[in-house]
Structure formats: C-alpha cells, structure tokens
Amino acid sequence: MLFAEHGFDAVSMRDITALAKVNLASVNYHFGSKRALLAEVVGSRAHLLVEERLRLLSALRRDKNGRPKLEDVIEAFLRPSLEMSRQPGGADHMRLRARLGVERVGESKAQFEQIFDASNEKIIDALAEALPDHPRAEIYWGFHCLLGIQNYTMANSGRIQHLSRGACDPTDVEATLARIVPFVANGFRALKRKRAAPRPRR
Amino acid sequence: MLFAEHGFDAVSMRDITALAKVNLASVNYHFGSKRALLAEVVGSRAHLLVEERLRLLSALRRDKNGRPKLEDVIEAFLRPSLEMSRQPGGADHMRLRARLGVERVGESKAQFEQIFDASNEKIIDALAEALPDHPRAEIYWGFHCLLGIQNYTMANSGRIQHLSRGACDPTDVEATLARIVPFVANGFRALKRKRAAPRPRR
DNA sequence: TTCTTGTTCAAACGATCGTTTGAATTTAAA
DNA sequence: TTTAAATTCAAACGATCGTTTGAACAAGAA
C-alpha cells in the first residue's frame, strides 16, 4: 500500500487510482477526500486489532491471587499487532501505523489514536496487576518502551536486518515475540520500586 | 523545524522560506534542491552525534576482564541522542530522525543511515563484550529493541504523556535515561543463552 | 577603478495536486 | 416501465509545487 511505503503526503490520488485501477472521481465520490480515505483504511483494521487485544486480555489466566502473568499480558498486547502481517495487506497496515505512531498527536491523528485509548488503559491495568509492587508511573515508563519496540517492529524499516546481515528478522512473528516478550518483561522488572531513584531535573 | 513537524513531503519550500525569512531562489542556489536541503539539515547533526557516541564508547570503564558494564554501553548509545534536545533545534532534529527511522531503507535514506553504520557496529561490539554469554544473534535482537525505544522516544509523539496524564515525560532526559537504561539492560539479560529456545517458522 | 565572481531577488515555468463538474451510465424503487 | 437515486467517468478547475530564469546587487580580485 502506497501510504505505508511513502507516507500520506508523498502519494497522490492519481498514484492510488492507477495502482488500484479505479477512477479518480469515484474515489472522491465514495470517500469524500484523500484524508477520509486514509481514515477508512486505517480505522477499520485498528478496530479489529483492538477487539482481538481485548479478547486476549479477558482470556488471561490468573494465579490464585487473581494476578495475570506479566509475559502473558505483554504477549496479549503484541501478538495481534505482529500477526497482522499474516493478513492480506496487513504488513502495509503495520507500516502505516508505524508512520502515524511517530507523528505528533494532532487533529488529523486524534481520531485514530482514540481507537486505542481504552484498550491501552486496560493493558496498563493488567500490567499493574502483574506488577503489584510497581508504582503506576513506572508502569507508564515501561509501556512507553513497549510502544517504542512495537512501533519500530511494525515499521520494518530493514535496519536491523541490514545490521545483523539477516540474522535478525522482525517479520518472523514467532521469533520476534520469543525475544521481545521476555526482553520487555525483564525490563519492567528492572523498574521496580525506584522510590529512591534520583530524578535530577534541569 | 517544519520537516520534523509535518514530514518532508508535506512541507513546501515556500513554507520553509516564509518561516526562515529567506528567499526561495536563494535556498535553491545554495542547496541545489529540497532533497539536498534535507540531507544537509540531517547529516551535519548526525555526524556530531556519532562523534559523541564514539567518544563515550572509547571512554568506557572496563573491569579486570576488560569488559564494559552493560548499563554504561547502553547509556553511551542513548545519551547523545536524548541530550540533543537541549541544543537549539535539537528536538526537531530528533523528531525528524524518528520519522526517517521508520521509513524503509532506500535510496533517499541510504546515505543518511550509513552515517550510523560504523558506530552502530561498535555499540553492538561493546554490548557483546558486556554480555559474553550471549550469541551475537541475540545481541542484534536486543539492539533492535533498543533502536525501537530510542526512535519512539525521539519522536516525542505525545502519546505516553497523554496516556499517563503527564506522569511520564520522555523529554526529561535524565528521568528517561534512568528508566530506559535499566529497562534495556535487564531486557538484554533476559535474552541470554537461549540455544534451546523454540523457533517455530511458518 | 574595472572586471569577475558570487549572491539575492521577483517572476515565471512546467508539472502535479486534490477536488469539482456535469454528462452518461447503472442500479434501485415505485 | 418509468422515475429517482446512485455511481462512474473524462475533463477541467484553482491552487500549489520545486525549480529555473535573468536582472540587479554585492563582494572579491586585479
């Protein structure tokens, strides 16, 4: 998909219509504008992804104290994102989301990001349950790191493939999950109870 | 800086010249093209950043086995990136890099990424020294995670500020380093010796 | 001082852009 | 079957784009 490859602004309606063999005016008739086309393209898949996340979340196993396992929470968050690459057009959707992910939240993006707000909060809640000794603020930091890893993985820029000469391939869903999940889980554990942590402020 | 805010293609030369109060034709005269202007803007700072990284790397303390401390290596990588926000225009540069970071490696980007190739390899070498029991392939995975976190942090999209209602601020350099460095270090340790790790392939 | 080189500038070029227009065609409803 | 609504289409609109042009000005060299 062209938006994913080149970014919204670099791709013209004529590029799109030529590739899709549809008429320029028809696209405008049906979607109203280029911007609305993007919202449709992105929004429909995002809703599906959120549903799958919430499904995995509600199916989490709990220990006798009612706590989910940290690794399971992280996987519930990541797996729907990564597995999207297995659907038709899914890899492109992921890359488009990665582009949007590094943009500043603004009017054009607010609608899109809101799709994830509620489910993100639920993931953070589950993380907090799995890490009862961690203050909420630390959970947010860990989540920031998790978002960064997810976003970069979805972008699939080719960077780490290049650096590792192919030894490391983020498009391999299972291999990627097998690395990121423990990485992030252990990362979260490093954040625990840092009440005495120095916080110099400039 | 407009490129950072809106992306290369969404920003016109007229936007730039209006903001900078320079003449449109003069910019073309001096830089040759819009694309070359971008390369100049990005490249000069990137070289400075690489130099600082290499300086920190060569100054790493070593234990009696000659090994650097993992946390120190990670900080040597991250600090120059994050501290750039303290320089004039630095925050914009970071955000522009984050945009470029999620783009596919291609002609327009190859020149830029090569600036980091050699220093990235040196960081990975230092990581491998700090983690002598880890196979190189696992180090690359960890580095992928580190790149993702760096890129997202530089993007400063406002996402985690929004989710955490301000409790988590990636523009606070010291607070961010104090979280990311231990997070990543512990994440790397979770990857150790996974020779028996299942690697199902689709 | 004159000549050469470098720089700035307003205007223009040729191209592309998202969107609109109105006719023609297709589909749905009565 | 006729009418109404929906859809498609080629052409065009008004705007913007990166780049170029050539004159004017400034700076450097002889």
Side-chain angles (χ1 to χ4, degrees), chain B residues 14 22-26 29-30:
Chain B
R14 288 167 177 85
V22 295
N23 182 276
L24 182 59
S26 292
Y29 177 81
H30 285 278

Side-chain angles (χ1 to χ4, degrees), chain A residues 10-189:
Chain A
V11 179
S12 71
M13 296 297 280
R14 287 167 177 83
D15 294 331
I16 293 162
T17 51
L19 189 71
K21 298 197 186 354
V22 294
N23 180 276
L24 182 58
S26 290
V27 176
N28 262 74
Y29 177 80
H30 286 278
F31 293 102
S33 69
K34 186 183 177 189
R35 175 66 53 181
L37 173 64
L38 176 71
E40 178 60 38
V41 166
V42 174
S44 52
R45 281 196 199 256
H47 282 294
L48 291 177
L49 184 144
V50 166
E51 282 172 24
E52 179 62 12
R53 272 200 186 138
L54 294 178
R55 191 187 68 77
L56 290 178
L57 257 198
S58 61
L60 284 179
R61 288 166 304 170
R62 307 253 166 179
D63 65 18
K64 58 185 173 250
N65 295 314
R67 292 197 185 111
K69 190 177 175 202
L70 180 57
E71 279 82 354
D72 290 348
V73 179
I74 294 161
E75 186 167 330
F77 178 77
L78 277 176
R79 187 175 278 279
S81 284
L82 299 193
E83 288 197 328
M84 191 168 280
S85 65
R86 291 169 169 166
Q87 299 165 19
D92 286 330
H93 176 75
M94 284 163 70
R95 290 178 59 229
L96 181 53
R97 276 187 59 209
R99 278 181 179 271
L100 293 172
V102 296
E103 285 179 15
R104 259 261 157 91
V105 174
E107 289 187 23
S108 58
K109 201 188 163 193
Q111 179 190 352
F112 174 61
E113 291 293 345
Q114 280 168 7
I115 300 174
F116 294 100
D117 271 351
S119 65
N120 279 341
E121 205 63 56
K122 285 188 161 61
I123 294 280
I124 290 164
D125 288 343
L127 290 169
E129 286 180 88
L131 294 163
D133 294 333
H134 286 61
R136 186 85 170 187
E138 296 299 303
I139 305 284
Y140 286 124
W141 279 108
F143 193 63
H144 166 78
C145 293
L146 175 56
L147 285 176
I149 294 169
Q150 177 195 230
N151 208 66
Y152 197 71
T153 305
M154 291 196 296
N156 190 22
S157 68
R159 193 83 197 106
I160 200 65
Q161 289 97 316
H162 167 76
L163 284 171
S164 69
R165 297 168 198 83
C168 178
D169 179 13
T171 64
D172 178 341
V173 174
E174 297 305 327
T176 303
L177 284 170
R179 288 359 184 272
I180 299 183
V181 171
F183 185 100
V184 172
N186 239 31
F188 267 106
R189 291 185 186 109

